[in-house]
Amino acid sequence: MPKKVVPETERRRRRPTRQGTVLSEKLIVETALRMLREHGSAGLTARRLGAALGADPSTVYRYFAGLDGLTRAIGEELMGRALDSWTAIGEWRADLRSLGLAVHSSYLAHPQAALLTASRVTGRPREIEVDETILGILRGAGFGDADAVGIYHAFIDLALAFAALDAGALAIKDEVREADEHMWTSTYARLPAETHPHIAATARLLAERMNDSAYPVVLDTLLGRAEGQLAATRKRAAAG
């Protein structure tokens, strides 16, 4: 049976750790993010987390429903940081674009955490706030509910899918990533036109683009399609 998470009011009565710090969900999440950055997901254990906090390893179970609960809290933290870094200007397409880029950037700032959490649904307040914000932008722009949900689905999945993809490249060792990136000039650019005419013709462009994320381009494609969808809806409404 899983251990019961201790209510916040009871946690506050706890004494400081051996390091003299008073534990909180925020401190534990920030420490877990640091451990993920330094050791990867395999290094995030209750024992190591307790040692880093100067507390008993069982401490995590007082604040979260095990390491899975902590994982959800880490995902929520990344979503919350994205929202905190974002400012709406009141134009739906620009607001969605900047929010999508903020989510992508927040996850890439912590690649190991991104790989661990991008596929998770946390159900926690800050994630819910992001979802409410996206749907509010879409419904406020005039999208019907079905269209708003469809675009929201594609929008958030796109941001998280690219976050995981791009984080995967950042999470590997520098020398391995650099070797992969160099492949476009060391291998692709040297393929002969006789056998690979299309790659040979575009080799310079491939080398210039392929090591950058395609997320902004694909995001613009999604938003362009949504804009056309909204225009069509308004046209039908005007026609009666």
Side-chain angles (χ1 to χ4, degrees), residues 127-161:
E127 180 188 77
I128 291 173
E129 188 178 357
V130 171
D131 296 340
E132 176 71 6
T133 298
I134 297 168
L135 288 166
I137 291 171
L138 290 166
R139 296 181 77 241
F143 288 96
D145 289 350
D147 287 342
V149 169
I151 296 166
Y152 156 76
H153 183 192
F155 176 87
I156 198 65
D157 277 9
L158 183 67
L160 293 175

mmCIF file of all heavy atoms in Angstrom, residues 127-161:
data_model
loop_
_atom_site.group_PDB
_atom_site.id
_atom_site.type_symbol
_atom_site.label_atom_id
_atom_site.label_comp_id
_atom_site.label_asym_id
_atom_site.label_seq_id
_atom_site.Cartn_x
_atom_site.Cartn_y
_atom_site.Cartn_z
ATOM 1 N N GLU A 127 -0.182 23.162 -14.647
ATOM 2 C CA GLU A 127 -0.470 22.555 -15.948
ATOM 3 C C GLU A 127 -1.900 22.872 -16.362
ATOM 4 O O GLU A 127 -2.158 23.235 -17.523
ATOM 5 C CB GLU A 127 -0.265 21.051 -15.897
ATOM 6 C CG GLU A 127 -0.562 20.365 -17.232
ATOM 7 C CD GLU A 127 -0.540 18.849 -17.121
ATOM 8 O OE1 GLU A 127 -1.536 18.285 -16.610
ATOM 9 O OE2 GLU A 127 0.452 18.246 -17.521
ATOM 10 N N ILE A 128 -2.823 22.760 -15.423
ATOM 11 C CA ILE A 128 -4.217 23.073 -15.714
ATOM 12 C C ILE A 128 -4.357 24.538 -16.118
ATOM 13 O O ILE A 128 -5.126 24.883 -17.023
ATOM 14 C CB ILE A 128 -5.101 22.748 -14.489
ATOM 15 C CG1 ILE A 128 -5.156 21.235 -14.275
ATOM 16 C CG2 ILE A 128 -6.508 23.313 -14.663
ATOM 17 C CD1 ILE A 128 -5.850 20.812 -12.996
ATOM 18 N N GLU A 129 -3.573 25.415 -15.494
ATOM 19 C CA GLU A 129 -3.605 26.832 -15.833
ATOM 20 C C GLU A 129 -3.150 27.068 -17.277
ATOM 21 O O GLU A 129 -3.724 27.894 -17.994
ATOM 22 C CB GLU A 129 -2.719 27.610 -14.859
ATOM 23 C CG GLU A 129 -2.810 29.119 -14.998
ATOM 24 C CD GLU A 129 -1.946 29.843 -13.984
ATOM 25 O OE1 GLU A 129 -1.316 29.187 -13.138
ATOM 26 O OE2 GLU A 129 -1.904 31.087 -14.052
ATOM 27 N N VAL A 130 -2.124 26.339 -17.702
ATOM 28 C CA VAL A 130 -1.672 26.446 -19.090
ATOM 29 C C VAL A 130 -2.779 25.997 -20.041
ATOM 30 O O VAL A 130 -3.075 26.668 -21.042
ATOM 31 C CB VAL A 130 -0.395 25.615 -19.318
ATOM 32 C CG1 VAL A 130 -0.043 25.551 -20.806
ATOM 33 C CG2 VAL A 130 0.778 26.205 -18.536
ATOM 34 N N ASP A 131 -3.400 24.871 -19.732
ATOM 35 C CA ASP A 131 -4.466 24.351 -20.593
ATOM 36 C C ASP A 131 -5.643 25.325 -20.663
ATOM 37 O O ASP A 131 -6.208 25.575 -21.739
ATOM 38 C CB ASP A 131 -4.941 22.993 -20.081
ATOM 39 C CG ASP A 131 -3.850 21.939 -20.139
ATOM 40 O OD1 ASP A 131 -2.877 22.136 -20.891
ATOM 41 O OD2 ASP A 131 -3.960 20.926 -19.422
ATOM 42 N N GLU A 132 -6.010 25.877 -19.507
ATOM 43 C CA GLU A 132 -7.103 26.850 -19.470
ATOM 44 C C GLU A 132 -6.761 28.089 -20.295
ATOM 45 O O GLU A 132 -7.617 28.639 -21.001
ATOM 46 C CB GLU A 132 -7.382 27.244 -18.010
ATOM 47 C CG GLU A 132 -8.446 28.322 -17.828
ATOM 48 C CD GLU A 132 -9.862 27.853 -18.120
ATOM 49 O OE1 GLU A 132 -10.075 26.647 -18.367
ATOM 50 O OE2 GLU A 132 -10.761 28.711 -18.114
ATOM 51 N N THR A 133 -5.513 28.498 -20.243
ATOM 52 C CA THR A 133 -5.070 29.671 -20.990
ATOM 53 C C THR A 133 -5.167 29.433 -22.490
ATOM 54 O O THR A 133 -5.672 30.285 -23.246
ATOM 55 C CB THR A 133 -3.626 30.032 -20.607
ATOM 56 O OG1 THR A 133 -3.577 30.368 -19.211
ATOM 57 C CG2 THR A 133 -3.112 31.200 -21.433
ATOM 58 N N ILE A 134 -4.698 28.280 -22.947
ATOM 59 C CA ILE A 134 -4.733 27.965 -24.384
ATOM 60 C C ILE A 134 -6.173 27.913 -24.884
ATOM 61 O O ILE A 134 -6.517 28.522 -25.906
ATOM 62 C CB ILE A 134 -4.015 26.635 -24.653
ATOM 63 C CG1 ILE A 134 -2.537 26.725 -24.282
ATOM 64 C CG2 ILE A 134 -4.158 26.239 -26.130
ATOM 65 C CD1 ILE A 134 -1.826 25.382 -24.238
ATOM 66 N N LEU A 135 -7.016 27.192 -24.162
ATOM 67 C CA LEU A 135 -8.414 27.086 -24.579
ATOM 68 C C LEU A 135 -9.106 28.444 -24.527
ATOM 69 O O LEU A 135 -9.939 28.770 -25.385
ATOM 70 C CB LEU A 135 -9.145 26.077 -23.692
ATOM 71 C CG LEU A 135 -8.776 24.613 -23.943
ATOM 72 C CD1 LEU A 135 -9.287 23.732 -22.812
ATOM 73 C CD2 LEU A 135 -9.335 24.146 -25.280
ATOM 74 N N GLY A 136 -8.749 29.273 -23.539
ATOM 75 C CA GLY A 136 -9.334 30.613 -23.446
ATOM 76 C C GLY A 136 -8.941 31.485 -24.620
ATOM 77 O O GLY A 136 -9.768 32.255 -25.140
ATOM 78 N N ILE A 137 -7.694 31.378 -25.066
ATOM 79 C CA ILE A 137 -7.246 32.139 -26.231
ATOM 80 C C ILE A 137 -8.032 31.726 -27.467
ATOM 81 O O ILE A 137 -8.505 32.565 -28.245
ATOM 82 C CB ILE A 137 -5.737 31.938 -26.458
ATOM 83 C CG1 ILE A 137 -4.929 32.602 -25.333
ATOM 84 C CG2 ILE A 137 -5.307 32.499 -27.815
ATOM 85 C CD1 ILE A 137 -3.454 32.260 -25.370
ATOM 86 N N LEU A 138 -8.185 30.426 -27.639
ATOM 87 C CA LEU A 138 -8.872 29.917 -28.828
ATOM 88 C C LEU A 138 -10.358 30.264 -28.817
ATOM 89 O O LEU A 138 -10.902 30.751 -29.818
ATOM 90 C CB LEU A 138 -8.678 28.398 -28.918
ATOM 91 C CG LEU A 138 -7.257 27.952 -29.262
ATOM 92 C CD1 LEU A 138 -7.081 26.457 -28.985
ATOM 93 C CD2 LEU A 138 -6.933 28.255 -30.726
ATOM 94 N N ARG A 139 -11.026 30.048 -27.699
ATOM 95 C CA ARG A 139 -12.461 30.355 -27.631
ATOM 96 C C ARG A 139 -12.687 31.862 -27.717
ATOM 97 O O ARG A 139 -13.653 32.324 -28.318
ATOM 98 C CB ARG A 139 -13.063 29.773 -26.365
ATOM 99 C CG ARG A 139 -13.001 28.244 -26.321
ATOM 100 C CD ARG A 139 -13.639 27.657 -25.065
ATOM 101 N NE ARG A 139 -15.090 27.679 -25.168
ATOM 102 C CZ ARG A 139 -15.886 28.349 -24.329
ATOM 103 N NH1 ARG A 139 -15.352 29.074 -23.350
ATOM 104 N NH2 ARG A 139 -17.193 28.304 -24.471
ATOM 105 N N GLY A 140 -11.771 32.643 -27.126
ATOM 106 C CA GLY A 140 -11.879 34.090 -27.205
ATOM 107 C C GLY A 140 -11.687 34.622 -28.615
ATOM 108 O O GLY A 140 -12.218 35.669 -28.972
ATOM 109 N N ALA A 141 -10.919 33.886 -29.433
ATOM 110 C CA ALA A 141 -10.691 34.289 -30.820
ATOM 111 C C ALA A 141 -11.896 33.995 -31.706
ATOM 112 O O ALA A 141 -11.971 34.495 -32.833
ATOM 113 C CB ALA A 141 -9.463 33.569 -31.373
ATOM 114 N N GLY A 142 -12.826 33.168 -31.217
ATOM 115 C CA GLY A 142 -14.016 32.859 -32.000
ATOM 116 C C GLY A 142 -14.112 31.426 -32.475
ATOM 117 O O GLY A 142 -15.043 31.070 -33.204
ATOM 118 N N PHE A 143 -13.165 30.570 -32.086
ATOM 119 C CA PHE A 143 -13.244 29.161 -32.461
ATOM 120 C C PHE A 143 -14.379 28.502 -31.675
ATOM 121 O O PHE A 143 -14.559 28.757 -30.471
ATOM 122 C CB PHE A 143 -11.940 28.432 -32.146
ATOM 123 C CG PHE A 143 -10.792 28.790 -33.052
ATOM 124 C CD1 PHE A 143 -9.871 29.752 -32.691
ATOM 125 C CD2 PHE A 143 -10.645 28.159 -34.285
ATOM 126 C CE1 PHE A 143 -8.814 30.082 -33.524
ATOM 127 C CE2 PHE A 143 -9.590 28.488 -35.134
ATOM 128 C CZ PHE A 143 -8.678 29.459 -34.753
ATOM 129 N N GLY A 144 -15.138 27.640 -32.348
ATOM 130 C CA GLY A 144 -16.120 26.834 -31.660
ATOM 131 C C GLY A 144 -15.443 25.837 -30.751
ATOM 132 O O GLY A 144 -14.242 25.571 -30.880
ATOM 133 N N ASP A 145 -16.193 25.263 -29.842
ATOM 134 C CA ASP A 145 -15.583 24.385 -28.842
ATOM 135 C C ASP A 145 -14.876 23.185 -29.463
ATOM 136 O O ASP A 145 -13.772 22.812 -29.045
ATOM 137 C CB ASP A 145 -16.650 23.902 -27.843
ATOM 138 C CG ASP A 145 -17.110 25.016 -26.914
ATOM 139 O OD1 ASP A 145 -16.478 26.097 -26.924
ATOM 140 O OD2 ASP A 145 -18.089 24.806 -26.180
ATOM 141 N N ALA A 146 -15.492 22.558 -30.456
ATOM 142 C CA ALA A 146 -14.872 21.385 -31.083
ATOM 143 C C ALA A 146 -13.566 21.780 -31.775
ATOM 144 O O ALA A 146 -12.551 21.075 -31.659
ATOM 145 C CB ALA A 146 -15.837 20.741 -32.078
ATOM 146 N N ASP A 147 -13.583 22.896 -32.480
ATOM 147 C CA ASP A 147 -12.363 23.357 -33.143
ATOM 148 C C ASP A 147 -11.305 23.757 -32.122
ATOM 149 O O ASP A 147 -10.111 23.476 -32.301
ATOM 150 C CB ASP A 147 -12.668 24.547 -34.059
ATOM 151 C CG ASP A 147 -13.423 24.139 -35.317
ATOM 152 O OD1 ASP A 147 -13.416 22.937 -35.647
ATOM 153 O OD2 ASP A 147 -14.014 25.023 -35.962
ATOM 154 N N ALA A 148 -11.727 24.422 -31.057
ATOM 155 C CA ALA A 148 -10.784 24.845 -30.022
ATOM 156 C C ALA A 148 -10.082 23.645 -29.395
ATOM 157 O O ALA A 148 -8.861 23.656 -29.199
ATOM 158 C CB ALA A 148 -11.505 25.661 -28.951
ATOM 159 N N VAL A 149 -10.842 22.606 -29.095
ATOM 160 C CA VAL A 149 -10.245 21.408 -28.493
ATOM 161 C C VAL A 149 -9.305 20.719 -29.480
ATOM 162 O O VAL A 149 -8.222 20.255 -29.112
ATOM 163 C CB VAL A 149 -11.344 20.441 -28.003
ATOM 164 C CG1 VAL A 149 -10.754 19.083 -27.627
ATOM 165 C CG2 VAL A 149 -12.070 21.043 -26.798
ATOM 166 N N GLY A 150 -9.702 20.640 -30.746
ATOM 167 C CA GLY A 150 -8.849 20.014 -31.747
ATOM 168 C C GLY A 150 -7.531 20.749 -31.916
ATOM 169 O O GLY A 150 -6.458 20.131 -31.995
ATOM 170 N N ILE A 151 -7.587 22.072 -31.959
ATOM 171 C CA ILE A 151 -6.362 22.862 -32.108
ATOM 172 C C ILE A 151 -5.524 22.788 -30.844
ATOM 173 O O ILE A 151 -4.291 22.664 -30.901
ATOM 174 C CB ILE A 151 -6.707 24.318 -32.462
ATOM 175 C CG1 ILE A 151 -7.398 24.374 -33.824
ATOM 176 C CG2 ILE A 151 -5.445 25.194 -32.480
ATOM 177 C CD1 ILE A 151 -8.062 25.694 -34.124
ATOM 178 N N TYR A 152 -6.176 22.875 -29.685
ATOM 179 C CA TYR A 152 -5.448 22.728 -28.418
ATOM 180 C C TYR A 152 -4.702 21.399 -28.373
ATOM 181 O O TYR A 152 -3.524 21.340 -27.983
ATOM 182 C CB TYR A 152 -6.425 22.816 -27.240
ATOM 183 C CG TYR A 152 -5.900 22.126 -26.007
ATOM 184 C CD1 TYR A 152 -4.913 22.710 -25.221
ATOM 185 C CD2 TYR A 152 -6.355 20.849 -25.653
ATOM 186 C CE1 TYR A 152 -4.398 22.056 -24.108
ATOM 187 C CE2 TYR A 152 -5.855 20.191 -24.551
ATOM 188 C CZ TYR A 152 -4.878 20.800 -23.779
ATOM 189 O OH TYR A 152 -4.366 20.140 -22.695
ATOM 190 N N HIS A 153 -5.372 20.336 -28.767
ATOM 191 C CA HIS A 153 -4.768 18.996 -28.754
ATOM 192 C C HIS A 153 -3.510 18.972 -29.612
ATOM 193 O O HIS A 153 -2.442 18.519 -29.186
ATOM 194 C CB HIS A 153 -5.794 17.978 -29.259
ATOM 195 C CG HIS A 153 -5.328 16.564 -29.218
ATOM 196 N ND1 HIS A 153 -5.999 15.529 -29.851
ATOM 197 C CD2 HIS A 153 -4.240 15.980 -28.635
ATOM 198 C CE1 HIS A 153 -5.356 14.401 -29.644
ATOM 199 N NE2 HIS A 153 -4.276 14.644 -28.913
ATOM 200 N N ALA A 154 -3.635 19.470 -30.839
ATOM 201 C CA ALA A 154 -2.477 19.479 -31.738
ATOM 202 C C ALA A 154 -1.386 20.411 -31.217
ATOM 203 O O ALA A 154 -0.189 20.094 -31.282
ATOM 204 C CB ALA A 154 -2.922 19.913 -33.140
ATOM 205 N N PHE A 155 -1.785 21.549 -30.674
ATOM 206 C CA PHE A 155 -0.836 22.555 -30.194
ATOM 207 C C PHE A 155 0.020 22.028 -29.046
ATOM 208 O O PHE A 155 1.245 22.125 -29.074
ATOM 209 C CB PHE A 155 -1.611 23.798 -29.759
ATOM 210 C CG PHE A 155 -0.764 24.871 -29.147
ATOM 211 C CD1 PHE A 155 -0.138 25.822 -29.944
ATOM 212 C CD2 PHE A 155 -0.604 24.956 -27.774
ATOM 213 C CE1 PHE A 155 0.637 26.829 -29.382
ATOM 214 C CE2 PHE A 155 0.175 25.952 -27.203
ATOM 215 C CZ PHE A 155 0.794 26.889 -28.011
ATOM 216 N N ILE A 156 -0.625 21.469 -28.032
ATOM 217 C CA ILE A 156 0.141 21.043 -26.850
ATOM 218 C C ILE A 156 0.947 19.789 -27.140
ATOM 219 O O ILE A 156 2.086 19.639 -26.687
ATOM 220 C CB ILE A 156 -0.794 20.857 -25.627
ATOM 221 C CG1 ILE A 156 0.018 20.867 -24.331
ATOM 222 C CG2 ILE A 156 -1.641 19.600 -25.750
ATOM 223 C CD1 ILE A 156 0.687 22.196 -24.034
ATOM 224 N N ASP A 157 0.383 18.872 -27.933
ATOM 225 C CA ASP A 157 1.138 17.671 -28.300
ATOM 226 C C ASP A 157 2.357 18.031 -29.149
ATOM 227 O O ASP A 157 3.427 17.434 -29.003
ATOM 228 C CB ASP A 157 0.249 16.680 -29.058
ATOM 229 C CG ASP A 157 -0.583 15.826 -28.120
ATOM 230 O OD1 ASP A 157 -0.601 16.102 -26.909
ATOM 231 O OD2 ASP A 157 -1.223 14.863 -28.604
ATOM 232 N N LEU A 158 2.194 19.001 -30.033
ATOM 233 C CA LEU A 158 3.309 19.430 -30.872
ATOM 234 C C LEU A 158 4.436 20.018 -30.017
ATOM 235 O O LEU A 158 5.608 19.685 -30.206
ATOM 236 C CB LEU A 158 2.827 20.462 -31.887
ATOM 237 C CG LEU A 158 3.856 20.969 -32.894
ATOM 238 C CD1 LEU A 158 4.263 19.857 -33.847
ATOM 239 C CD2 LEU A 158 3.297 22.161 -33.670
ATOM 240 N N ALA A 159 4.078 20.891 -29.086
ATOM 241 C CA ALA A 159 5.086 21.515 -28.224
ATOM 242 C C ALA A 159 5.843 20.469 -27.418
ATOM 243 O O ALA A 159 7.077 20.505 -27.316
ATOM 244 C CB ALA A 159 4.417 22.530 -27.300
ATOM 245 N N LEU A 160 5.117 19.504 -26.848
ATOM 246 C CA LEU A 160 5.756 18.505 -25.994
ATOM 247 C C LEU A 160 6.523 17.464 -26.812
ATOM 248 O O LEU A 160 7.560 16.971 -26.366
ATOM 249 C CB LEU A 160 4.700 17.830 -25.117
ATOM 250 C CG LEU A 160 4.054 18.757 -24.084
ATOM 251 C CD1 LEU A 160 2.939 18.046 -23.337
ATOM 252 C CD2 LEU A 160 5.094 19.290 -23.102
ATOM 253 N N ALA A 161 6.017 17.140 -27.997
ATOM 254 C CA ALA A 161 6.722 16.182 -28.851
ATOM 255 C C ALA A 161 8.074 16.748 -29.280
ATOM 256 O O ALA A 161 9.110 16.059 -29.218
ATOM 257 C CB ALA A 161 5.883 15.829 -30.072
#
